[in-house]
Amino acid sequence: MLLDNEVKFSMAEDKIVPMKVAVVGLGPVGLILAIHLKEAGYDVAICDFDKIKINLIRSEGIKLDGVIKKALTFENIYSDTLDLKEFNPAIIFASIKGYQTPAFVEQMIKMNLKDTLVVSAQNGLDVEQIFVAGLGERMVMRMVINFAGNLITPNSAKVTFFNPPNYLASLDDSKVDVVKQISDQLSNVGLTTMQVSSFELLKQIWEKNILNSSLSALCGIGKLTIKEAMEFPDSVELVEQVIEEALEVAEAEKIKFEDEFVRKCLRYLRKAGDHFPSLAVDMINNRQTEIDFMNGKIVEYGRKHYIRTPVNLALTNMVKAVTNRTNSTFMKGLEPALIGKKFTGSLKNKVVNGVVINKEESGNGEYHLGVDLGSSYTKFIVLDSDSKIVFKLALKTLNRDKIGVRHVMRAIQSEFDIKSSCATGYGRKNFPDADFAKTEINCAAEGVSYSYHGVKNIIDIGGEDIKVIHCDNMNHVENFYLNDKCAAGTGSFITEIAERAELNVSEMSLLAARSNNKNELNSFCTVFAKTEIMKWLIDGMSVEDIAKGVYLSIANRVAKLRIVNDEPIYLIGGVIAFHPYLKDILSTKLNQKVLMVENPQFMGALGAALLAKQSYINGENEKDIKLKEEAI
């Protein structure tokens, strides 16, 4: 029988009824769990550090579609784990990534929730042992999830499959009453869950990990859904080899499976449908993965028993190679939305859609916003009163779809006391949320001059045009030059050429850096350039040489613009952020050192924020600014 101080439950009709539960981590699993726990009668709190997601849930609730269709609203909504202390939950369902777990355990210890149980509703082997190390075995339960989904919007998920039941157990079998209560209540609302012993649970954990490991890495590397991967005999053969290796390792760990286990796994995977595994989603979005808890664990246990696991090792290393490359210095300057999130719940740091916001160290509470509405990306920068960047985010610009921008603006306005704002870029005149608008020329010069004073050339290679801006020794725009109306040499040009050459845009810098090719595209016209690319392909030119040839043609295009010799040259724009090797080629082409500024994609937004701050300090209103612009 449980003691009163072990867990905060009340007695009702001779059953132990948890009064309060919390769900931390609102990916597809967290959203699905939250709805069903509330539907089962629990007092549910939800927590996630994505401010945009939290704001959407506050206004619209959580929605499920697909094989499970449900929608509910919630009252207890938090964006910081430390705030859960006041809610004082009896149980916390942790649906977070394995690599995020140590930081979360630290937060639980800091909250001093001694009587709060934890349910690890996570993927991977041994992830629950991180909770055990920090909280003790008697406080930890593990849930094996047999449903999955993909996010449609931040607050809604499409449930792609549910192969019941889920499994739930107390790690030391001391909380069987609690396990039975949760299992029964979830089953009553359609999320069929089976109570099992800790020993049976271990078998289910291994089985689920084998299923996850069999296809997650393959889907991530190949950008395939499970259905697509299972349609190819070659990939099915690879899946079988992953399972066979894992099966041998499991048996060495004294975990026995039936003779038809491999066939059972393949049948399960064929029923999964058009679903991207979570690890694949992380790879596609260039985020950190849980590979160490999946295939990596199979390799680890294999080494323990001197069992070779070459296929699992190959997949583990390939995933790590891809993710390490993504986060290498070649990716410096990419928008934070594309880089792996760090799980943090401290009051000092908040994570908003992947961006760390440090409010305690910023200014006096007065903030200024710059928004650069480019043809490919919309960039946001928030500065404090000391001109420190406290928020930055790049969001893909979607035609006639302003929902994403609206969500970001809502998050910014709820998080910061914005005193002034400025818009720039193609869409600046149609952005009503800004106090005023400035040209890309002025904002780019302002942004670069913040760190690099004096005379300079600024080369801005964007999605649709190329600009060369010349500043005098007072940082004022002295002159500027644009390429003609053709988009040759811009981001859209690279994208179309790369598509024709079947090049991965994110890999072009790495490929070009390996080439000694000196051949460049002769035509600046995209149509004719594609024809040249086809000839290169027919002639058997390597992908490295093709990538280098594309960059050489862009450098030639830039060199034809007016650049003042012997004055510093700084590169900015989204293209240089994604293609940093262009800097080396331009340096050779111009016979002069060329520098790439930090965060090159955000220079326009930074300049806009700096101009917004200046207008606020000068006490200028929108009318004053317009009169000044007209005078210029």
Side-chain angles (χ1 to χ4, degrees):
M1 188 67 182
L2 294 172
L3 299 176
D4 289 340
N5 64 353
E6 281 189 307
V7 62
K8 298 175 284 297
F9 290 112
S10 67
M11 299 299 293
E13 298 179 355
D14 298 325
K15 291 183 178 180
I16 299 175
V17 180
M19 299 302 294
K20 294 182 177 181
V21 301
V23 178
V24 176
L26 298 176
V29 168
L31 296 177
I32 295 166
L33 276 175
I35 275 194
H36 286 90
L37 286 166
K38 183 173 183 182
E39 195 177 30
Y42 296 104
D43 184 7
V44 179
I46 54 178
C47 181
D48 194 280
F49 305 100
D50 186 334
K51 195 73 174 181
I52 295 173
K53 181 190 294 285
I54 290 300
N55 284 336
L56 273 174
I57 292 174
R58 285 196 177 110
S59 61
E60 300 176 6
I62 295 174
K63 302 171 186 177
L64 303 180
D65 201 357
V67 299
I68 299 176
K69 293 181 172 63
K70 295 182 179 182
L72 283 176
T73 57
F74 291 78
E75 296 178 1
N76 303 301
I77 304 172
Y78 301 94
S79 60
D80 196 313
T81 47
L82 291 179
D83 292 339
L84 287 175
K85 185 174 177 63
E86 66 180 54
F87 182 75
N88 198 23
I91 302 174
I92 294 178
F93 286 78
S95 56
I96 58 179
K97 301 291 186 181
Y99 56 80
Q100 297 170 330
T101 308
F104 178 60
V105 171
E106 289 179 11
Q107 291 299 309
M108 286 201 64
I109 294 171
K110 189 173 183 178
M111 286 187 287
N112 197 28
L113 297 176
K114 294 180 179 179
D115 298 330
T116 299
L117 300 176
V118 175
V119 177
S120 168
Q122 300 168 276
N123 284 324
L125 287 177
D126 293 345
V127 67
E128 73 281 352
Q129 295 304 318
I130 303 173
F131 287 107
V132 171
L135 308 174
E137 192 175 49
R138 73 182 187 89
M139 305 305 294
V140 183
M141 294 178 279
R142 176 74 193 260
M143 188 174 189
V144 175
I145 302 294
N146 280 318
F147 55 78
N150 294 126
L151 290 178
I152 304 171
T153 64
N155 65 320
S156 65
K158 179 181 180 181
V159 186
T160 46
F161 69 87
F162 178 28
N163 294 322
N166 304 307
Y167 298 95
L168 181 65
S170 167
L171 292 191
D172 66 351
D173 292 318
S174 65
K175 303 294 187 295
V176 292
D177 291 337
V178 178
V179 171
K180 185 178 188 307
Q181 175 69 21
I182 297 171
S183 300
D184 290 347
Q185 294 287 57
L186 288 176
S187 296
N188 289 340
V189 294
L191 202 67
T192 308
T193 303
M194 180 180 293
Q195 175 190 8
V196 293
S197 70
S198 58
F199 298 108
E200 175 61 23
L201 179 76
L202 187 58
K203 178 181 177 182
Q204 297 300 335
I205 291 172
W206 270 85
E207 179 174 332
K208 182 62 188 297
N209 189 66
I210 291 171
L211 288 166
N212 283 336
S213 301
S214 65
L215 264 178
S216 293
L218 183 62
C219 288
I221 295 166
K223 296 181 174 59
L224 302 169
T225 65
I226 292 179
K227 180 181 179 181
E228 289 170 336
M230 294 301 291
E231 287 175 347
F232 299 107
D234 291 342
S235 59
V236 172
E237 183 180 3
L238 189 61
V239 167
E240 287 189 61
Q241 291 180 28
V242 172
I243 297 172
E244 292 283 2
E245 288 182 4
L247 192 56
E248 184 180 0
V249 173
E251 288 176 350
E253 282 287 304
K254 308 301 182 186
I255 297 169
K256 303 294 184 182
F257 293 101
E258 61 270 31
D259 292 338
E260 300 298 322
F261 179 73
V262 176
R263 290 186 182 181
K264 176 183 174 182
C265 289
L266 295 175
R267 182 181 298 171
Y268 181 102
L269 293 170
R270 288 191 176 100
K271 291 168 61 178
D274 281 317
H275 172 68
F276 279 108
S278 62
L279 186 142
V281 173
D282 288 336
M283 288 188 70
I284 291 168
N285 288 284
N286 300 321
R287 295 192 293 255
Q288 187 175 351
T289 73
E290 297 178 275
I291 192 67
D292 284 331
F293 294 94
M294 293 184 181
N295 301 79
K297 276 290 177 181
I298 294 171
V299 174
E300 180 183 323
Y301 274 101
R303 287 170 175 162
K304 172 184 172 183
H305 297 286
Y306 301 98
I307 296 172
R308 294 185 70 253
T309 54
V311 180
N312 281 277
L313 178 61
L315 290 172
T316 301
N317 290 343
M318 287 174 70
V319 170
K320 287 183 176 182
V322 171
T323 52
N324 286 342
R325 181 202 66 209
T326 299
N327 292 298
S328 70
T329 54
F330 279 102
M331 299 300 287
K332 185 176 181 181
L334 281 180
E335 66 274 23
L338 295 182
I339 298 175
K341 297 182 181 181
K342 289 186 178 179
F343 189 94
T344 173
S346 69
L347 292 172
K348 183 177 179 180
N349 294 314
K350 286 191 176 181
V351 177
V352 179
N353 208 31
V355 181
V356 178
I357 298 175
N358 192 328
K359 294 190 70 175
E360 280 192 355
E361 295 182 358
S362 55
N364 57 9
E366 296 179 353
Y367 300 96
H368 309 280
L369 170 65
V371 183
D372 180 4
L373 297 104
S375 60
S376 300
Y377 284 87
T378 298
K379 285 79 69 176
F380 303 83
I381 286 276
V382 176
L383 300 179
D384 66 10
S385 57
D386 297 323
S387 297
K388 292 180 181 177
I389 297 174
V390 294
F391 180 95
K392 71 175 184 290
L393 178 70
L395 189 71
K396 278 194 174 181
T397 302
L398 302 176
N399 293 333
R400 295 188 296 277
D401 183 3
K402 299 180 180 179
I403 295 175
V405 171
R406 186 167 69 246
H407 291 166
V408 173
M409 286 299 299
R410 191 183 301 170
I412 290 172
Q413 290 162 353
S414 68
E415 193 71 28
F416 302 102
D417 181 15
I418 301 295
K419 296 298 184 182
S420 59
S421 58
C422 173
T424 189
Y426 286 107
R428 65 185 183 275
K429 294 182 180 179
N430 297 313
F431 190 70
D433 292 324
D435 295 328
F436 62 94
K438 284 283 188 179
T439 67
E440 306 98 293
I441 305 294
N442 287 324
C443 290
E446 192 74 26
V448 175
S449 297
Y450 177 71
S451 299
Y452 304 96
H453 301 282
V455 295
K456 55 186 160 288
N457 298 284
I458 301 170
I459 301 176
D460 181 1
I461 307 177
E464 298 291 343
D465 63 16
I466 302 173
K467 309 178 190 73
V468 173
I469 305 164
H470 184 248
C471 295
D472 61 22
N473 59 2
M474 297 298 293
N475 300 319
H476 298 142
V477 176
E478 190 172 69
N479 217 330
F480 65 91
Y481 309 94
L482 302 174
N483 66 327
D484 56 31
K485 294 181 180 179
C486 176
T490 65
S492 61
F493 172 81
I494 296 176
T495 300
E496 289 194 45
I497 295 300
E499 183 178 348
R500 171 56 62 92
E502 297 185 350
L503 289 172
N504 188 328
V505 172
S506 66
E507 297 177 350
M508 284 184 67
S509 269
L510 291 169
L511 294 172
R514 302 189 194 119
S515 171
N516 294 317
N517 176 38
K518 295 183 179 180
N519 295 323
E520 61 184 68
L521 293 171
N522 294 315
S523 176
F524 289 135
C525 172
T526 303
V527 175
F528 293 131
K530 285 182 177 181
T531 302
E532 280 192 72
I533 288 289
M534 288 302 298
K535 185 179 185 305
W536 284 1
L537 290 170
I538 292 170
D539 291 341
M541 184 181 286
S542 69
V543 290
E544 290 85 356
D545 288 348
I546 292 175
K548 180 77 172 285
V550 173
Y551 285 164
L552 287 170
S553 69
I554 294 170
N556 192 32
R557 182 69 163 167
V558 172
K560 291 183 181 297
L561 297 174
R562 295 184 184 180
I563 299 170
V564 180
N565 294 329
D566 301 322
E567 290 188 0
I569 300 174
Y570 300 101
L571 292 173
I572 67 171
V575 169
I576 198 61
F578 284 90
H579 304 273
Y581 186 63
L582 259 175
K583 174 179 71 70
D584 299 332
I585 293 180
L586 278 169
S587 294
T588 302
K589 187 75 176 179
L590 300 173
N591 196 27
Q592 183 178 341
K593 185 177 181 181
V594 176
L595 299 175
M596 182 172 73
V597 303
E598 187 175 359
N599 296 317
Q601 194 177 18
F602 289 89
M603 281 302 102
L606 173 61
L610 289 166
L611 290 171
K613 179 187 172 186
Q614 289 175 18
S615 73
Y616 178 75
I617 292 173
N618 296 336
E620 297 175 336
N621 57 34
E622 187 175 359
K623 183 177 179 181
D624 294 331
I625 294 167
K626 286 183 177 178
L627 287 173
K628 185 182 291 187
E629 288 178 342
E630 288 173 3
I632 294 172

